[in-house]
Amino acid sequence: MKLHEYQSKRLFAKYGIPIPRGRVAATASEAKLIAEELGGRVVVKSQVLVGGRGKTGGVRLAHDAEEAEDLATQIMGMKIKGLPVRKVLIDEAANIRTEIYLGVANDRRARCPVMIASAEGGIEIEEVARTMPEKIIRLHLDPTQKLRRYQSFYIAQSIELPRDLWRDFYKIAYGLYEAYLNTDANLAEINPLVITDDGRLLALDGKMVLDDNALFLHAELEEMRDLDEEAPEERRARMYGLSYVKLDGNIGCMVNGAGLAMVTMDVIKLFGGEPANFLDIGGGAGAEKVSAALRIILSDPNVKAILINVFGGITRCDEVARGVLSALEEMESNIPMIARLVGTNEEGGRRLLAKSNMITAISLADAAQKAVAAVKKGDAE
Ligand code: GDP
Ligand code: MN
């Protein structure tokens, strides 16, 4: 789950990181009021869950409250990378001397957190990594320890931060690492962290990505979820406890188990097909969950065939079949469906499905080939 900039920065502030004064507005007149409170010179910042807003005109400087109102009107009429802007953050404008990058991320390969810094802030770190990789400093951290002063000094020195700012930099880096650890984040990022023209460090932008699997530990963070920003299918999937990721292909997949779902996608690709989604119905899924899953897959207009691959252990094949049938009762569909059900109660499952037009398969390879063939046949017709 991604947090909005204003949410990330509020969280940062709780950890002692200095942020500009500011508030969120949902209308232009509200934006004007906030700008007046802040003295007129403000930045108007679109709150959408993508980076690079600055380059697309989603972050603009206003010289007075009237201009802030105008810009808020403009920005709230925009779509940024396909996302409509519903809120703007009005922040007191800063006078920037230098822009720095500072972030903490999971380093999967090293199996520990990594603090990343660069003197080239303000641009996306991926771009810095591509064009000037030597400008990126990395420091691996122990997740059981707090950030030590010498560690932050090493980073400060590496990015050539003026010495008189090292103490303040330590507080910020320390706070950022605490924020990252305490929220079970995958990413906590300040870009840019600026030095203002009066020589202070200030976090102008904030980004946090939280681990969905740890959110149950953080009710107060779960509440920050912005339902407007999610794909409706993904929201519905989460309601039913399904792991669903939409992809670009045309073969819908319904599988129990994340590993098996990955393999299923691989095998579809092996036979020349393209999966339309990743979907793990989880262990022991009942008919209701299966039916919800099938409805989600069917709501994707790109789907030309559906492959159901169930390896029944805790999950019972007859339950899966019941779920499939109940979804099909509700929404008629002539999309070809291929089922490969093996394991617990597979006989029962097959008997139930025999009543529908389901194509059955004896192995995953067989199922994938049949799905690919069904798509080709559909294209030819
Ligand atoms: P992003 O493009 O989505 O990462 O949005 P940012 O919040 O990082 O803003 C983009 C850029 O706008 C920053 O790198 C700054 O150069 C500029 N910017 C943001 N806030 C201010 C501000 O208060 N004053 C000035 N002068 N520039 C700002
Ligand atoms: Mn930024």
Side-chain angles (χ1 to χ4, degrees):
M1 169 177 149
K2 290 179 186 168
L3 296 189
H4 279 295
E5 174 193 4
Y6 75 93
Q7 297 169 323
S8 306
K9 288 203 296 200
R10 269 189 210 155
L11 205 85
F12 291 169
K14 285 196 190 143
Y15 286 89
I17 298 172
I19 62 166
R21 291 194 301 147
R23 275 198 292 130
V24 177
T27 63
S29 52
E30 217 181 320
K32 184 182 175 194
L33 279 177
I34 299 170
E36 274 165 1
E37 272 172 40
L38 295 173
R41 248 191 105 248
V42 294
V43 275
V44 182
K45 313 186 74 177
S46 54
Q47 297 299 290
V48 281
L49 296 174
V50 289
R53 295 161 303 163
K55 272 183 278 180
T56 59
V59 176
R60 305 274 300 275
L61 190 70
H63 299 86
D64 54 46
E66 265 77 47
E67 194 180 357
E69 185 177 19
D70 279 352
L71 291 176
T73 307
Q74 285 177 36
I75 290 176
M76 282 196 276
M78 283 172 67
K79 273 193 175 179
I80 299 181
K81 299 182 184 171
L83 299 173
V85 181
R86 295 188 173 89
K87 292 188 206 108
V88 287
L89 173 63
I90 310 297
D91 263 1
E92 191 171 40
N95 295 317
I96 301 173
R97 189 191 294 163
T98 315
E99 302 193 37
I100 297 163
Y101 175 95
L102 183 66
V104 187
N106 290 352
D107 185 335
R108 284 168 184 262
R109 204 174 303 173
R111 298 178 187 172
C112 64
V114 60
M115 187 164 273
I116 303 166
S118 174
E120 300 295 328
I123 21 179
E124 285 175 78
I125 196 69
E126 293 81 1
E127 194 178 324
V128 183
R130 205 168 45 243
T131 55
M132 7 179 197
E134 73 287 353
K135 293 277 190 179
I136 296 183
I137 311 309
R138 288 185 185 79
L139 180 67
H140 287 106
L141 300 174
D142 180 338
T144 66
Q145 303 286 317
K146 304 201 177 271
L147 189 77
R148 307 292 295 271
R149 196 181 298 264
Y150 73 87
Q151 293 176 307
S152 80
F153 285 2
Y154 161 76
I155 292 173
Q157 182 167 45
S158 307
I159 59 172
E160 295 176 15
L161 191 75
R163 188 121 206 167
D164 59 320
L165 290 174
W166 284 19
R167 273 172 154 279
D168 289 342
F169 181 76
Y170 173 50
K171 280 191 206 146
I172 292 172
Y174 180 93
L176 188 66
Y177 190 45
E178 288 298 294
Y180 162 91
L181 289 177
N182 291 347
T183 58
D184 289 303
N186 290 330
L187 177 73
E189 180 185 273
I190 308 174
N191 187 26
L193 172 66
V194 302
I195 306 176
T196 57
D197 63 357
D198 55 354
R200 290 175 301 122
L201 285 168
L202 192 60
L204 283 204
D205 189 11
K207 177 175 176 182
M208 291 203 77
V209 181
L210 307 177
D211 182 346
D212 285 327
N213 294 313
L215 272 179
F216 73 99
L217 296 168
H218 307 285
E220 75 294 354
L221 297 173
E222 173 74 50
E223 273 172 25
M224 291 186 185
R225 191 188 286 280
D226 186 343
L227 295 174
D228 287 343
E229 297 283 337
E230 292 188 317
E233 301 86 27
E234 292 188 7
R235 188 186 330 160
R236 242 189 311 151
R238 192 161 33 73
M239 264 167 47
Y240 282 96
L242 304 159
S243 308
Y244 170 88
V245 181
K246 188 173 162 9
L247 302 168
D248 297 329
N250 50 22
I251 300 180
C253 306
M254 173 149 73
V255 190
N256 66 322
L260 191 60
M262 303 285 276
V263 171
T264 305
M265 299 193 302
D266 280 349
V267 174
I268 288 173
K269 279 175 123 33
L270 181 68
F271 289 108
E274 285 295 332
N277 65 276
F278 168 93
L279 199 160
D280 169 15
I281 58 172
E288 198 192 342
K289 213 166 165 183
V290 170
S291 150
L294 193 58
R295 277 180 279 137
I296 290 168
I297 297 176
L298 283 169
S299 70
D300 176 352
N302 293 335
V303 167
K304 298 278 154 37
I306 295 177
L307 197 169
I308 300 168
N309 185 23
V310 170
F311 190 85
I314 321 171
T315 309
R316 292 166 35 194
C317 294
D318 57 329
E319 270 293 307
V320 171
R322 252 188 287 281
V324 169
L325 293 179
S326 94
L328 290 181
E329 255 168 44
E330 246 175 76
M331 46 199 299
E332 294 215 350
S333 159
N334 43 21
I335 290 177
M337 295 188 197
I338 297 92
R340 179 239 180 185
L341 305 178
V342 289
T344 310
N345 294 0
E346 63 178 72
E347 284 304 322
R350 274 198 221 112
R351 221 175 304 127
L352 282 166
L353 288 184
K355 293 176 199 155
S356 68
N357 292 326
M358 188 76 55
I359 303 165
T360 54
I362 47 165
S363 68
L364 175 53
D366 182 33
Q369 281 168 293
K370 283 177 172 160
V372 172
V375 169
K376 287 222 178 92
K377 185 160 169 268
D379 284 348
E381 276 166 10

